[in-house]
Amino acid sequence: MRVKFILPALVEAKSPLWRPIKYSLFPPLGLATLAAFLSPDDEAELVDDHVELLRTDDAPDLVVIQVYITNAYRAYALADRYRAKGCFVALGGLHVTALPEEAARHADAIFIGPGEQTFPRFLDDFRSGCPQPRYVSTGGRTIERLPPIRRDLIKRERYLVPNSIVVTRGCPQHCDFCYKDAFFGGGRSFYTQRVDEALAEIERLPGRHLYFLDDHLLGNPQFAESLFAGMRGMGRLFQGAATVDSVLRGDLIERAAEAGLRSLFVGFETFSPANLRASNKKQNLARDYQAVARRLSDLGIMINGSFVFGMDDDGLDVFDRTVDWAVRAGITTATFHIQTPYPGTRLHAELARQGRITSDNWDEYDTRHVVYRPAKLTPAALKAGYDRAYRDFYRWRNIARGAATHGTVKHRAKHFFYASGWKKFESLWDVAIKARRLGAMTPLLEAVLSKVSAGKTTPVAAPPERGLTPAPTSPS
């Protein structure tokens, strides 16, 4: 059987003039995971439309396409093209789970929820000639004892971070704006791999650098503690994501640093307690963001802070206040978002009930466009403030100010070169992408992520008045 796995690209990722580095960071692990369930005599091809030419002049027996909201239209067009040739097309992913009826119009079979349990069942049905139109993931979810990911299908040289890995699925939190609850509805929403299997997968990856793509690497403290214990002595440098409360709780973040954690994505999102309560982001309530930044900086861990603009308690001052705090707190890189009500989320349901959704053009659901009516801002003011926040945070002066908050010369240098390399030299990344030389950048990335000795971080005051109130006692 000939099977083609496709990750369709966004329009801007295919531009011959400019290809942002973010589309060349990670290979499509989800599709490579599904490919592992094929038989040894099956022919498999994995095409990431972001980084390579996608040819459609072939006619495989089975085409499997991963759909998320901002590639939905291209995914549907590709699906229709292959179906017209008589190929069997299966669609899965976040957007399919959120809007199954829409996706079903373009597919012979759709997958709702994670596919580790449903895809093998589908393959059995397909081989026997009786595939079902819909496969729904509910009970029995696990990522234990899965066959090894088909990394042989991944074109490593086309990614800055080919050593990406996932050791948990989902997230234990339930934020109203997150796709996760819809995707994992009907079954377990957070579960882990076996520690020995995770360590074996890490051992198989060449080089030193790893990137954990897990939504919340510290979400299961017992699993994370065992994982970090097993990683000590491996000489790895890794990046990942975690929540504000998990950084402050216990000594797990110290264990992660000892195992090689050098950069962490942290969802600060908003300084407004009203926004946090409204979005059900309880894990951030009564938490001291300043303490999070200080603890990570003192461990030599760079911070990629995530911030959302346009929540109902946000006024015109939110942009400047957020940027100012992020710079003074020593946040290395910042990812700003315009609040986006993804279909299938509680946020979308509530805004739709209020009649505030203004666009159902999925291309605009990229957290860079305003697709709803904000409560205290005009759409134009929200878009302008978002754009200004990016410009201001990545000004040379602010990059230098942020770097100066750290306690050692090495950490200051790391901050400066990482932040400026990410945003100030995008044209050089474009050259490396087109020349297919991203692999040559890995030693530079590893050098920037090298260990920093402990140093005292410059204190930073919390945002005034409407800022998040620090916890009155030390978090447990």
Coordinates of all heavy atoms in Angstrom, one line a residue, residues 149-206:
I149 N 8.6 6.3 16.4 CA 8.2 7.3 15.4 C 9.0 7.1 14.2 O 10.2 6.8 14.2 CB 8.5 8.7 16.0 CG1 7.5 9.0 17.2 CG2 8.3 9.8 14.9 CD1 7.8 10.3 17.9
R150 N 8.4 7.2 13.0 CA 9.1 7.1 11.8 C 9.9 8.3 11.4 O 9.7 9.1 10.5 CB 8.1 6.8 10.6 CG 7.4 5.4 10.7 CD 8.4 4.3 10.3 NE 9.0 4.5 9.0 CZ 8.5 4.1 7.9 NH1 7.3 3.5 7.9 NH2 9.1 4.3 6.7
R151 N 11.0 8.5 12.2 CA 11.9 9.6 11.9 C 12.7 9.5 10.6 O 13.2 10.4 10.1 CB 12.9 9.8 13.1 CG 12.1 10.2 14.4 CD 13.1 10.6 15.5 NE 12.4 10.9 16.7 CZ 12.0 12.2 17.0 NH1 12.3 13.2 16.2 NH2 11.3 12.4 18.1
D152 N 12.7 8.3 10.1 CA 13.4 8.1 8.8 C 12.6 8.8 7.6 O 13.2 9.1 6.6 CB 13.4 6.6 8.4 CG 12.1 5.9 8.4 OD1 11.4 6.0 9.4 OD2 11.7 5.4 7.3
L153 N 11.3 9.2 7.9 CA 10.6 9.9 6.9 C 10.8 11.4 7.0 O 10.3 12.2 6.1 CB 9.1 9.6 7.1 CG 8.6 8.1 6.9 CD1 7.2 8.0 7.2 CD2 9.0 7.6 5.5
I154 N 11.4 11.9 8.0 CA 11.6 13.3 8.3 C 12.9 13.8 7.6 O 14.0 13.1 7.8 CB 11.7 13.6 9.8 CG1 10.3 13.3 10.4 CG2 12.1 15.0 10.1 CD1 10.3 13.4 11.9
K155 N 12.8 14.8 6.9 CA 14.0 15.4 6.2 C 14.7 16.4 7.2 O 14.4 17.6 7.2 CB 13.6 16.1 4.9 CG 12.8 15.1 4.0 CD 12.2 15.8 2.9 CE 11.4 14.9 2.0 NZ 10.3 14.2 2.6
R156 N 15.6 15.9 8.0 CA 16.1 16.6 9.1 C 16.8 17.9 8.7 O 16.8 18.9 9.4 CB 17.2 15.7 9.9 CG 16.5 14.6 10.6 CD 17.6 13.7 11.3 NE 18.5 14.5 12.1 CZ 18.3 14.8 13.4 NH1 17.2 14.3 14.0 NH2 19.1 15.5 14.1
E157 N 17.5 17.9 7.6 CA 18.3 19.0 7.2 C 17.4 20.3 6.9 O 18.0 21.4 6.7 CB 19.1 18.7 5.9 CG 18.3 18.5 4.6 CD 17.6 17.2 4.5 OE1 17.7 16.4 5.4 OE2 16.9 17.0 3.5
R158 N 16.1 20.1 6.8 CA 15.2 21.3 6.5 C 14.7 21.9 7.7 O 13.8 22.8 7.6 CB 14.1 20.8 5.6 CG 14.7 20.2 4.3 CD 13.7 20.1 3.2 NE 14.3 19.5 2.0 CZ 13.8 19.4 0.8 NH1 12.5 19.8 0.7 NH2 14.4 18.8 -0.2
Y159 N 15.1 21.5 8.9 CA 14.5 22.0 10.2 C 15.6 22.6 11.1 O 16.7 22.0 11.1 CB 13.7 21.0 10.9 CG 12.6 20.5 10.1 CD1 12.7 19.3 9.4 CD2 11.4 21.1 10.1 CE1 11.6 18.8 8.6 CE2 10.3 20.7 9.3 CZ 10.4 19.5 8.6 OH 9.4 19.0 7.8
L160 N 15.4 23.6 11.8 CA 16.3 24.2 12.7 C 16.3 23.2 14.0 O 17.4 23.1 14.6 CB 15.9 25.6 13.2 CG 16.8 26.2 14.2 CD1 18.2 26.4 13.6 CD2 16.2 27.6 14.6
V161 N 15.2 22.7 14.3 CA 15.1 21.8 15.5 C 14.5 20.4 15.1 O 13.4 20.1 15.4 CB 14.2 22.5 16.6 CG1 14.3 21.7 17.9 CG2 14.6 23.9 16.8
P162 N 15.3 19.6 14.4 CA 14.8 18.3 14.0 C 14.6 17.4 15.2 O 13.8 16.5 15.2 CB 15.9 17.8 13.1 CG 17.1 18.5 13.5 CD 16.7 19.9 13.9
N163 N 15.4 17.6 16.3 CA 15.3 16.8 17.5 C 14.1 17.3 18.4 O 14.3 17.6 19.6 CB 16.6 16.9 18.3 CG 17.6 16.0 17.7 OD1 17.4 15.3 16.7 ND2 18.8 16.0 18.3
S164 N 12.9 17.4 17.8 CA 11.7 17.7 18.6 C 11.1 16.3 19.1 O 11.3 15.3 18.5 CB 10.7 18.5 17.8 OG 10.4 17.9 16.6
I165 N 10.5 16.4 20.2 CA 10.0 15.2 20.9 C 8.8 15.5 21.7 O 8.6 16.6 22.2 CB 11.1 14.5 21.8 CG1 10.7 13.2 22.3 CG2 11.6 15.5 22.9 CD1 11.8 12.4 23.0
V166 N 7.9 14.5 21.9 CA 6.7 14.7 22.7 C 6.6 13.5 23.7 O 6.7 12.3 23.2 CB 5.4 14.7 21.9 CG1 4.2 14.8 22.8 CG2 5.4 16.0 21.0
V167 N 6.6 13.8 25.0 CA 6.5 12.7 26.0 C 5.3 12.7 26.8 O 5.0 11.8 27.6 CB 7.8 12.8 26.9 CG1 9.0 12.5 26.1 CG2 7.8 14.1 27.6
T168 N 4.4 13.7 26.6 CA 3.1 13.7 27.2 C 2.1 14.2 26.2 O 2.4 14.7 25.1 CB 3.0 14.7 28.4 OG1 3.2 16.1 27.9 CG2 4.2 14.5 29.4
R169 N 0.8 13.9 26.5 CA -0.2 14.3 25.5 C -1.2 15.2 26.3 O -1.7 14.9 27.4 CB -1.0 13.2 24.9 CG -0.2 12.4 24.0 CD -0.1 13.1 22.6 NE -1.0 12.7 21.7 CZ -1.5 13.4 20.6 NH1 -1.0 14.6 20.5 NH2 -2.3 12.9 19.8
G170 N -1.6 16.4 25.7 CA -2.6 17.2 26.3 C -2.0 18.1 27.4 O -0.8 18.4 27.5
C171 N -2.9 18.5 28.3 CA -2.6 19.4 29.4 C -3.6 19.3 30.5 O -4.8 19.1 30.3 CB -2.6 20.9 28.9 SG -2.2 22.1 30.1
P172 N -3.1 19.3 31.8 CA -4.0 19.2 32.9 C -4.9 20.4 33.2 O -5.8 20.4 34.0 CB -3.1 18.9 34.1 CG -1.8 19.5 33.7 CD -1.7 19.4 32.2
Q173 N -4.6 21.6 32.5 CA -5.3 22.8 32.7 C -6.5 22.9 31.7 O -6.5 22.1 30.7 CB -4.4 24.0 32.6 CG -3.1 23.9 33.3 CD -3.4 23.8 34.8 OE1 -4.4 24.2 35.3 NE2 -2.4 23.4 35.6
H174 N -7.4 23.8 32.0 CA -8.7 23.8 31.1 C -9.0 25.3 30.8 O -10.0 25.8 31.3 CB -9.8 23.2 31.8 CG -9.6 21.7 32.2 ND1 -9.7 20.7 31.2 CD2 -9.1 21.1 33.3 CE1 -9.4 19.5 31.8 NE2 -9.0 19.8 33.0
C175 N -8.1 26.0 30.1 CA -8.3 27.4 29.8 C -9.4 27.5 28.7 O -9.4 26.7 27.7 CB -7.0 28.0 29.3 SG -5.6 27.8 30.5
D176 N -10.2 28.5 28.8 CA -11.4 28.6 27.9 C -11.0 28.9 26.4 O -11.7 28.6 25.5 CB -12.3 29.8 28.4 CG -13.1 29.4 29.5 OD1 -13.0 28.3 30.0 OD2 -14.0 30.2 30.0
F177 N -9.8 29.5 26.2 CA -9.4 29.9 24.9 C -8.6 28.8 24.2 O -8.1 28.9 23.0 CB -8.6 31.2 24.9 CG -7.4 31.2 25.8 CD1 -6.2 30.5 25.6 CD2 -7.5 32.0 27.0 CE1 -5.2 30.5 26.5 CE2 -6.4 32.0 27.9 CZ -5.3 31.3 27.7
C178 N -8.4 27.6 24.8 CA -7.5 26.6 24.3 C -8.3 25.5 23.6 O -9.3 25.1 24.0 CB -6.7 26.0 25.5 SG -5.5 24.8 24.9
Y179 N -7.7 25.1 22.5 CA -8.3 24.0 21.7 C -8.3 22.6 22.5 O -9.1 21.7 22.1 CB -7.4 23.7 20.5 CG -7.8 24.2 19.2 CD1 -7.0 24.8 18.3 CD2 -9.1 24.1 18.8 CE1 -7.4 25.3 17.0 CE2 -9.6 24.5 17.5 CZ -8.7 25.1 16.7 OH -9.1 25.6 15.4
K180 N -7.4 22.5 23.5 CA -7.2 21.2 24.0 C -8.4 20.4 24.5 O -8.6 19.3 24.3 CB -6.2 21.3 25.2 CG -5.7 20.0 25.8 CD -6.5 19.6 27.0 CE -6.5 20.7 28.1 NZ -7.3 20.3 29.3
D181 N -9.3 21.2 25.2 CA -10.5 20.5 25.8 C -11.4 19.9 24.7 O -11.9 18.8 24.9 CB -11.3 21.4 26.6 CG -10.7 21.6 28.0 OD1 -9.7 20.9 28.3 OD2 -11.3 22.3 28.9
A182 N -11.5 20.6 23.6 CA -12.3 20.1 22.4 C -11.6 18.8 21.8 O -12.2 17.8 21.5 CB -12.5 21.1 21.4
F183 N -10.3 18.9 21.6 CA -9.5 17.9 21.0 C -9.5 16.6 21.8 O -9.6 15.5 21.3 CB -8.1 18.3 20.7 CG -7.3 17.4 19.9 CD1 -7.6 17.2 18.6 CD2 -6.2 16.7 20.4 CE1 -6.9 16.3 17.7 CE2 -5.5 15.8 19.6 CZ -5.8 15.6 18.3
F184 N -9.5 16.7 23.1 CA -9.4 15.6 24.0 C -10.7 15.2 24.7 O -10.8 14.5 25.6 CB -8.3 15.8 25.1 CG -6.9 15.7 24.6 CD1 -6.3 16.9 24.2 CD2 -6.3 14.5 24.4 CE1 -5.0 16.8 23.7 CE2 -5.0 14.4 23.9 CZ -4.3 15.6 23.6
G185 N -11.8 15.8 24.2 CA -13.1 15.5 24.7 C -13.5 14.1 24.6 O -13.1 13.4 23.6
G186 N -14.2 13.6 25.6 CA -14.6 12.2 25.6 C -13.7 11.2 26.1 O -13.9 10.0 26.1
G187 N -12.5 11.6 26.6 CA -11.5 10.7 27.2 C -10.5 11.5 28.0 O -10.7 12.6 28.3
R188 N -9.4 10.8 28.3 CA -8.4 11.4 29.1 C -7.8 12.6 28.4 O -7.5 12.6 27.2 CB -7.2 10.4 29.4 CG -7.6 9.4 30.4 CD -6.3 8.8 31.1 NE -5.5 8.0 30.1 CZ -4.3 7.6 30.4 NH1 -3.8 7.8 31.6 NH2 -3.7 6.9 29.5
S189 N -7.6 13.7 29.1 CA -7.1 14.9 28.5 C -5.6 15.2 28.8 O -5.0 16.1 28.2 CB -7.9 16.2 28.9 OG -7.8 16.3 30.3
F190 N -5.0 14.3 29.6 CA -3.6 14.5 29.9 C -3.0 13.1 30.3 O -3.5 12.5 31.3 CB -3.3 15.5 31.0 CG -1.8 15.8 31.3 CD1 -1.0 16.3 30.3 CD2 -1.3 15.4 32.5 CE1 0.3 16.5 30.5 CE2 0.1 15.7 32.7 CZ 0.9 16.2 31.8
Y191 N -2.0 12.7 29.6 CA -1.4 11.4 30.0 C 0.1 11.4 29.5 O 0.4 12.2 28.6 CB -2.2 10.2 29.4 CG -2.7 10.4 28.0 CD1 -2.1 9.8 26.9 CD2 -3.8 11.2 27.7 CE1 -2.5 9.9 25.6 CE2 -4.3 11.3 26.4 CZ -3.7 10.7 25.4 OH -4.1 10.8 24.1
T192 N 0.9 10.5 30.0 CA 2.3 10.5 29.7 C 2.8 9.2 29.1 O 2.1 8.2 29.2 CB 3.1 10.7 31.0 OG1 3.0 9.6 31.8 CG2 2.5 11.9 31.8
Q193 N 4.0 9.3 28.5 CA 4.7 8.1 28.0 C 5.3 7.4 29.2 O 5.4 8.0 30.3 CB 5.8 8.6 27.1 CG 6.3 7.5 26.1 CD 7.3 8.1 25.1 OE1 7.8 9.2 25.3 NE2 7.4 7.5 24.0
R194 N 5.8 6.2 29.1 CA 6.6 5.6 30.1 C 8.0 6.2 30.1 O 8.5 6.6 29.0 CB 6.8 4.1 29.7 CG 5.5 3.2 29.9 CD 5.7 1.8 29.3 NE 7.0 1.2 29.7 CZ 7.1 0.3 30.6 NH1 6.0 -0.2 31.2 NH2 8.2 -0.3 31.0
V195 N 8.5 6.4 31.3 CA 9.8 7.1 31.4 C 10.9 6.4 30.6 O 11.7 7.0 29.9 CB 10.2 7.3 32.9 CG1 11.6 7.9 33.0 CG2 9.2 8.2 33.6
D196 N 10.9 5.1 30.7 CA 12.0 4.4 30.0 C 11.9 4.5 28.5 O 12.9 4.6 27.8 CB 12.0 2.9 30.5 CG 10.7 2.1 30.2 OD1 9.7 2.8 30.0 OD2 10.7 0.9 30.1
E197 N 10.6 4.5 28.0 CA 10.4 4.7 26.6 C 10.8 6.1 26.1 O 11.4 6.3 25.1 CB 9.0 4.4 26.2 CG 8.6 3.0 26.4 CD 7.1 2.7 26.1 OE1 6.3 3.7 26.0 OE2 6.7 1.6 26.0
A198 N 10.5 7.1 27.0 CA 10.9 8.5 26.7 C 12.4 8.6 26.6 O 13.0 9.2 25.7 CB 10.3 9.5 27.7
L199 N 13.1 8.0 27.6 CA 14.6 8.1 27.6 C 15.2 7.4 26.4 O 16.2 7.8 25.9 CB 15.1 7.5 28.9 CG 14.7 8.3 30.2 CD1 15.1 7.6 31.5 CD2 15.4 9.7 30.2
A200 N 14.6 6.2 26.0 CA 15.1 5.5 24.9 C 14.9 6.3 23.6 O 15.8 6.3 22.8 CB 14.3 4.2 24.8
E201 N 13.8 7.1 23.5 CA 13.6 7.9 22.3 C 14.7 9.0 22.3 O 15.2 9.4 21.2 CB 12.2 8.5 22.3 CG 11.9 9.5 21.2 CD 11.8 8.8 19.8 OE1 11.8 7.6 19.7 OE2 11.7 9.6 18.8
I202 N 15.0 9.6 23.5 CA 16.0 10.7 23.6 C 17.3 10.1 23.2 O 18.1 10.8 22.4 CB 16.0 11.2 25.0 CG1 14.7 12.0 25.3 CG2 17.2 12.1 25.2 CD1 14.5 12.4 26.7
E203 N 17.7 8.9 23.6 CA 18.9 8.3 23.3 C 19.1 8.1 21.8 O 20.2 8.2 21.2 CB 19.1 7.0 24.0 CG 19.3 7.1 25.5 CD 20.7 7.3 25.9 OE1 21.5 7.8 25.0 OE2 21.1 7.1 27.0
R204 N 18.0 7.9 21.1 CA 18.1 7.7 19.6 C 18.4 8.9 18.8 O 18.8 8.9 17.7 CB 16.8 7.0 19.1 CG 16.6 5.6 19.5 CD 15.4 5.0 18.7 NE 14.2 5.4 19.2 CZ 13.5 4.7 20.2 NH1 14.0 3.6 20.7 NH2 12.3 5.1 20.6
L205 N 18.1 10.1 19.4 CA 18.3 11.4 18.7 C 19.7 11.8 18.7 O 20.4 11.9 19.8 CB 17.4 12.4 19.4 CG 15.9 12.2 19.3 CD1 15.1 13.2 20.1 CD2 15.4 12.2 17.8
P206 N 20.3 12.2 17.6 CA 21.7 12.6 17.5 C 21.9 14.0 18.1 O 20.9 14.8 18.2 CB 22.0 12.5 16.0 CG 20.7 12.8 15.4 CD 19.7 12.2 16.3

